[in-house]
Amino acid sequence: MSAPDYPHASPPAPAAAIEVAPGVHWLRMALPFQLDHINLWLLEDGTQEKPSWLMIDTGLGNEPTRALWDRIFAEKIAARPVKRVLVTHYHPDHAGNAAWLCKRSGAELWMSRGEFLTVHAARNSSAGYTTEAQLELFRANGLDDARGAELLLRGGLYRKLVPDFPFAHRRLHEGERIAVGGRSWRVIVGHGHAPEHVSLHCEELNLLISGDMLLPRISTNVAVRPIDPWSNPLRMFLDSIRRYRELAEDILVLPSHGLPFRGAHARIAQLEAHHQERLAELLAACTAFPRTAAEVLEILFRRKLDSSQIFFAMGEAIAHLHYLYYEGRLSRNVGADGVARFAPG
């Protein structure tokens, strides 16, 4: 099993595009976070007589990103119309400009039902998608009030980054095949990172647009969220990425972050080993004495975390502890203070 290989040494310049496979073009947009970029994809669509574009993911709904899109429309898209905008999942760097792009081009929005509804829930602070619900979950897992207060400053952030969103979509289903530019692409729905994350596989091109499900150098955030506080997202994520072993070992993977790479099987093995190492460390720590999720952050993340990072880290810590709980390797006990602690049981 070969280690991941990177056929492109560097990403495209802002507003430029690299054709990574016939009819598949790579764009990159900046993000104002520690993870400072997202990869987007333009696929040549339509027919020779009526050519068009299909866009995959949209970047944040802010002015710097839209300024880049203006340049791309002028320099790359030109007279070839955009007919479809496909969003892999609900996170704002993927969904933020969907409404703006659809209105601008008259394109249809394509995505899974779970992701579509989650965008609306997150934008409207409903169904548990509130900072207060997030804070309640984290407090129940040991986060102190001082660090929790910092999270309240995040209130309304999602709606700022996704300022609008369409009210209709073309629903994508697991296993569905969609035609793009005369080629067949299979929809693969993954879980654990988002409710119904869509990846796309084209056997003819030996290509996988993996979104956030398979990244080359970092581990995808897998977190328990207030809408499903008893969930086991790490199990769902590991089960999902194992399915990529059914694809060719030398498939070209187009991730949402990092560089395109070959060696999906090796990368899956790396991710499995990474999570197993973390689980072993957590099991040892909880065997020494009962721990809350907040108390294992320093085990999972060996660096100082700011408020934004704590948001992701707490959800991930709970996810790892839940994995061990559902495996029967830890028990979950709620004390008189209402806080869950995990110990062998």
Side-chain angles (χ1 to χ4, degrees):
M1 187 183 301
S2 59
D5 171 66
Y6 301 90
H8 299 275
S10 58
I18 295 175
E19 189 170 11
V20 295
V24 180
H25 304 262
W26 174 21
L27 307 171
R28 178 167 283 196
M29 301 283 187
L31 299 176
F33 312 121
Q34 184 178 27
L35 182 57
D36 62 4
H37 69 275
I38 179 172
N39 300 323
L40 311 175
W41 313 98
L42 272 177
L43 275 58
E44 296 176 17
D45 200 4
T47 64
Q48 188 172 2
E49 294 76 21
K50 292 184 177 181
S52 62
W53 293 105
L54 181 150
M55 292 177 173
I56 298 180
D57 288 334
T58 71
L60 295 176
N62 59 18
E63 289 307 316
T65 304
R66 291 176 179 181
L68 284 177
W69 274 120
D70 286 337
R71 290 175 57 189
I72 291 164
F73 269 91
E75 300 167 15
K76 179 68 178 177
I77 292 174
R80 187 173 190 148
V82 177
K83 292 293 187 181
R84 294 185 279 183
V85 173
L86 190 152
V87 173
T88 58
H89 63 294
Y90 81 97
H91 292 155
D93 49 335
H94 299 261
N97 274 310
W100 184 78
L101 287 167
C102 287
K103 288 176 182 177
R104 174 175 184 149
S105 61
E108 295 179 345
L109 174 67
W110 290 47
M111 62 192 304
S112 67
R113 178 64 51 83
E115 300 299 327
F116 175 79
L117 293 176
T118 302
V119 173
H120 285 287
R123 288 194 72 255
N124 292 291
S125 297
S126 61
Y129 285 92
T130 67
T131 306
E132 291 76 16
Q134 194 74 63
L135 184 54
E136 182 179 347
L137 173 67
F138 290 170
R139 281 174 174 157
N141 282 275
L143 191 69
D144 60 85
D145 288 340
R147 287 190 291 180
E150 295 180 25
L151 290 176
L152 291 175
L153 300 176
R154 294 174 56 91
L157 179 61
Y158 187 92
R159 194 178 183 95
K160 293 175 185 175
L161 301 177
V162 188
D164 192 9
F165 205 73
F167 286 103
H169 71 301
R170 161 63 162 82
R171 184 178 184 180
L172 292 170
H173 299 267
E174 162 63 34
E176 177 181 5
R177 293 188 176 273
I178 62 175
V180 184
R183 296 186 177 91
S184 176
W185 293 75
R186 179 167 63 96
V187 173
I188 302 174
V189 174
H191 308 281
H193 177 64
E196 295 179 354
H197 181 297
V198 167
S199 299
L200 294 170
H201 172 228
C202 181
E203 187 173 9
E204 180 182 342
L205 294 176
N206 195 26
L207 189 71
L208 174 71
I209 297 177
S210 65
D212 279 355
M213 289 299 294
L214 193 59
L215 303 177
R217 295 192 182 277
I218 61 174
S219 177
T220 301
N221 180 249
V222 178
V224 172
R225 297 297 178 213
I227 191 173
D228 193 7
W230 298 100
S231 63
N232 188 3
L234 182 55
R235 166 57 64 193
M236 292 188 287
F237 174 74
L238 292 173
D239 287 346
S240 293
I241 64 172
R242 286 190 190 107
R243 297 179 59 203
Y244 296 141
R245 284 201 173 97
E246 301 167 6
L247 309 180
E249 186 171 354
D250 65 343
I251 195 167
L252 179 61
V253 180
L254 305 185
S256 291
H257 309 285
L259 299 175
F261 68 98
R262 298 186 190 276
H265 295 193
R267 182 56 183 148
I268 293 164
Q270 289 175 351
L271 288 167
E272 290 171 334
H274 164 79
H275 286 292
Q276 290 303 322
E277 288 171 6
R278 292 293 181 268
L279 289 166
E281 291 170 343
L282 289 185
L283 184 60
C286 293
T287 299
F289 59 87
R291 308 262 189 163
T292 68
E295 290 169 339
V296 302
L297 290 180
E298 293 181 359
I299 297 170
L300 287 176
F301 305 94
R302 298 174 177 87
R303 63 185 186 277
K304 183 175 175 58
L305 301 172
D306 61 26
S307 60
S308 177
Q309 292 164 340
I310 287 174
F311 174 83
F312 295 105
M314 274 296 296
E316 190 141 345
I318 301 168
H320 281 74
L321 291 168
H322 278 196
Y323 183 97
L324 291 168
Y325 167 70
Y326 284 111
E327 288 277 298
R329 296 155 74 184
L330 289 178
S331 62
R332 180 182 184 275
N333 305 294
V334 179
D337 57 359
V339 174
R341 292 173 176 84
F342 294 81

